[in-house]
Amino acid sequence: MFLLRHGPLDAEALRRAVASPEHGAVLVFHGDARASTAGRRVTGLWYEAFEPMALAGLEELAVAVRARHGVGAIACAPRLGAVPVGETAMVLAVGAPHREAALAATADYIQRLKQDVPIWKREHFEDGTRWVGSATDPQARAAARTA
């Protein structure tokens, strides 16, 4: 199950999509909009996507991560449009025979989703906005220094 949604996400539906008697581990990750970034107060987020490519990217990524980590199922629903602070921006569910595989697959999927899937995030602050990953994004600069 791979969905792009405007408005609140149904985490329980994603959990059900990956649950199975063969899966001893079902992990559901909520990516929530936090209140600050690099010392600046965030007032909200905005997500945009090229939807056909984003859906295809979510599915292709799941195939690769499932093979790499030996997990049985992955479901993901990123949210588009406005996301207020404290609300969920993305839900990822992973079903696997064992917890180690589910945890590793979750971390891998999230990292690669941010790098490879055409979904863009704009942070709104009290004094302006910034597209994440842009030249003015301190998170992108910090990641570049550690790469």
Side-chain angles (χ1 to χ4, degrees), residues 69-71 94 96-106:
H69 297 285
V71 300
V94 176
H98 304 284
R99 72 179 175 275
E100 294 86 359
L103 290 164
T106 298

Side-chain angles (χ1 to χ4, degrees), residues 5 13 26 29 61 65 77 80 119 134 142 144-145:
R5 289 284 184 252
V26 175
F29 173 85
L61 179 54
V65 169
L80 300 178
I119 299 172
S134 70
R145 285 192 301 269

Side-chain angles (χ1 to χ4, degrees), residues 17-119:
V18 303
S20 162
E22 286 77 37
H23 297 157
V26 175
L27 181 63
V28 180
F29 173 85
H30 293 242
D32 293 350
R34 65 179 172 267
S36 68
T37 296
R40 293 176 74 189
R41 184 167 175 261
V42 174
T43 59
L45 304 176
W46 180 267
Y47 288 89
E48 292 183 13
F50 181 64
E51 294 186 33
M53 283 183 69
L55 284 170
L58 293 170
E59 292 180 30
E60 290 169 14
L61 179 54
V63 170
V65 169
R66 285 179 62 211
R68 180 177 300 113
H69 297 285
V71 300
I74 296 175
C76 185
R79 188 166 164 180
L80 300 178
V83 179
V85 169
E87 291 192 16
T88 300
M90 187 265 297
V91 174
L92 172 67
V94 176
H98 304 284
R99 72 179 175 275
E100 294 86 359
L103 290 164
T106 298
D108 189 18
Y109 192 94
I110 293 167
Q111 184 62 36
R112 293 184 61 197
L113 181 151
K114 288 182 171 199
Q115 294 171 352
D116 300 337
V117 178
I119 299 172

